[in-house]
Amino acid sequence: MARIWRWLGASLIIIIGLVWLIRQPPSLALQAAQARLAGNWHQATRLYQQLNQTQPSVPNQLALTELYLTRGEWQAADYQLIEVFRQPLKPEQHQQAWQLYGWAGLQRGDQAAVQATIRTFDSNLWSHLLRAELAFRVGDLISATNHLNQAQALSQPWQNWAWLRSAELALPNDPSLAQQFLAQIQPQTNGPRLANPWQWQQRIQRMQQLVPQDPTQRMLGVASLWSEQGLWQAADLLLSQIPASDQMASFAANQRALLYWSAGDSATALELIATAQEQWPNVATLPRTQAKIAASSQQLDLALAALQQAVNLEPASSENYLVAATISLSQGDFNGTAAAYNQAIATGPMSGTLSLEAANFYINTPLRRCSSGLQYARQALNTPVDELARRVVATTALQCSLAAEAEYMISPLYQTSPDDPQLAYLYAVSRWQQAKPDAQILLEKAADRAIQTPWLQQIEQYLN
């Protein structure tokens, strides 16, 4: 009998212990790993930060570094790697750390970090990916192609990036090969995200849409993609390959000038425009661009002469008033700028584009953001640029404490495309400003969707 009671007592203790274990919350390490696996980047980063404070280890530090890279926090990744390199590393950890170090350095523009990584890997497959990226940044597309050809059998996610870059290079001249590269891209299951997933898909879709286009349209499309990524020298090289006899050649020449202007080289931009005007003296877009660039570099006489040339070529164009607005703004003449925008809207077609131009003037200068800026942006609603207008109205409305209007503007777009980083940000903040009960959850979701975008830091300010 005593044995039975002892057995029952021991069983009861075991059962109580099991119940206690079951009821315990998951460990911090398990929570962090689960959040990372689920793509909850904001939560995972916070959990791994806590984990490294209480249980520092190389695997935990490397995981946090990957999260920093995924979120686009390149400097934070660099600081974390300094801690990693201070510890003894296994061969695979050493390679992973150097890969992350090189990629973070590339994004920060740290040539020394990139070159140190290349020297460490020497002729390793992965070093060719870094060399290809460096070649893209100086417009050396031949070297980029050669290095990508040698970067075979890379591990993920680096292989996906190599396929994407190879597709971009092939698309202008060999769309079939570009499609083959795109078909090789696989869903990512581990490792750092090298780009925002939504923006990644947008790039792929744009390339797929370019496949059936003619060679010139494909060149222009890829040049636009590279320009948006800051690869302006690669874009310039591609635009320079469009033959002068092509019907889009003057447009390409104009775009080349704009690339140099955006890179801060106004002198070369003006030289390119002058050369283009000699070839196409009757294209009014060229003197209009010349006027804008000249005004930005305070060459008022050249700007006014170029504007007059554009007026002579196309006297009824509303674009001339937009150039006049740019010149007035460069001289600090806000009244003249406003008058020019009003004339442009009164003269031009009801496309909404001109209204947005005027709206941006008022929004981005110390004038009447919450009155005139919103007024002009609202005029662009229900026009061919309705979606862009809704984004502008919502962004401005939030700045003007009009959260209800911002939510009304953005809600239809958000319901259709909830993974769009900007839409997720605007919708979450509009709900937060109205103290809606789901605001915190929406902000956390927006933070996960806004990785490697300008909106992430603003979302984090609300969450913190």
Side-chain angles (χ1 to χ4, degrees), residues 59-254:
N60 288 342
Q61 290 173 333
L62 286 173
L64 181 57
T65 304
E66 280 193 2
L67 286 165
Y68 283 141
L69 286 183
T70 291
R71 286 162 54 87
E73 296 176 294
W74 317 118
Q75 192 62 61
D78 185 68
Y79 291 148
Q80 186 62 53
L81 284 167
I82 292 174
E83 297 299 319
V84 172
F85 284 125
R86 288 173 176 167
Q87 303 174 58
L89 303 175
K90 297 177 181 178
E92 63 272 15
Q93 293 173 336
H94 182 268
Q95 176 168 318
Q96 183 184 5
W98 272 104
Q99 285 179 337
L100 300 178
Y101 180 70
W103 197 259
L106 186 72
Q107 305 307 319
R108 291 186 294 111
D110 186 347
Q111 292 285 332
V114 179
Q115 293 298 339
T117 306
I118 290 174
R119 287 194 298 273
T120 300
F121 280 97
D122 193 19
S123 60
N124 180 285
L125 293 177
W126 197 81
S127 70
H128 289 295
L129 183 63
L130 270 189
R131 293 176 191 273
E133 285 299 307
L134 290 178
F136 268 109
R137 281 154 174 75
V138 296
D140 187 352
L141 301 186
I142 294 176
S143 291
T145 302
N146 290 337
H147 283 298
L148 286 172
N149 287 340
Q150 296 180 70
Q152 300 299 319
L154 282 167
S155 60
Q156 295 294 8
W158 314 106
Q159 184 63 75
N160 275 351
W161 187 269
W163 289 133
L164 186 70
R165 283 295 197 217
S166 297
E168 291 173 349
L169 284 166
L171 183 55
N173 299 313
D174 194 340
S176 296
L177 181 60
Q179 282 185 302
Q180 293 177 30
F181 287 137
L182 291 175
Q184 298 291 331
I185 296 176
Q186 303 171 7
Q188 186 173 342
T189 57
N190 53 42
R193 266 53 179 175
L194 305 183
N196 179 285
W198 186 84
Q199 294 174 331
W200 176 282
Q201 288 301 320
Q202 294 300 302
R203 284 165 63 179
I204 292 175
Q205 289 176 16
R206 284 171 63 179
M207 282 194 280
Q208 290 171 335
Q209 292 168 357
L210 287 170
V211 166
Q213 303 296 321
D214 62 58
T216 299
Q217 290 296 336
R218 294 198 299 271
M219 282 188 179
L220 292 172
V222 174
S224 177
L225 281 170
W226 287 344
S227 175
E228 292 168 12
Q229 298 169 47
L231 305 174
W232 71 271
Q233 289 170 296
D236 174 60
L237 181 62
L238 206 54
L239 292 171
S240 69
Q241 295 175 4
I242 295 177
S245 58
D246 193 284
Q247 61 179 356
M248 298 298 294
S250 64
F251 175 81
N254 191 69

Side-chain angles (χ1 to χ4, degrees), residues 18-80:
L18 288 173
V19 171
W20 182 84
L21 286 173
I22 292 171
R23 289 182 175 179
Q24 293 307 299
S27 69
L28 186 61
L30 182 57
Q31 291 181 59
Q34 289 174 339
R36 182 180 170 207
L37 186 63
N40 299 332
W41 313 119
H42 170 79
Q43 181 186 19
T45 302
R46 298 297 172 262
L47 291 171
Y48 271 104
Q49 287 172 337
Q50 296 176 33
L51 196 59
N52 278 302
Q53 290 175 355
T54 58
Q55 304 173 42
S57 69
V58 170
N60 288 342
Q61 290 173 333
L62 286 173
L64 181 57
T65 304
E66 280 193 2
L67 286 165
Y68 283 141
L69 286 183
T70 291
R71 286 162 54 87
E73 296 176 294
W74 317 118
Q75 192 62 61
D78 185 68
Y79 291 148
Q80 186 62 53

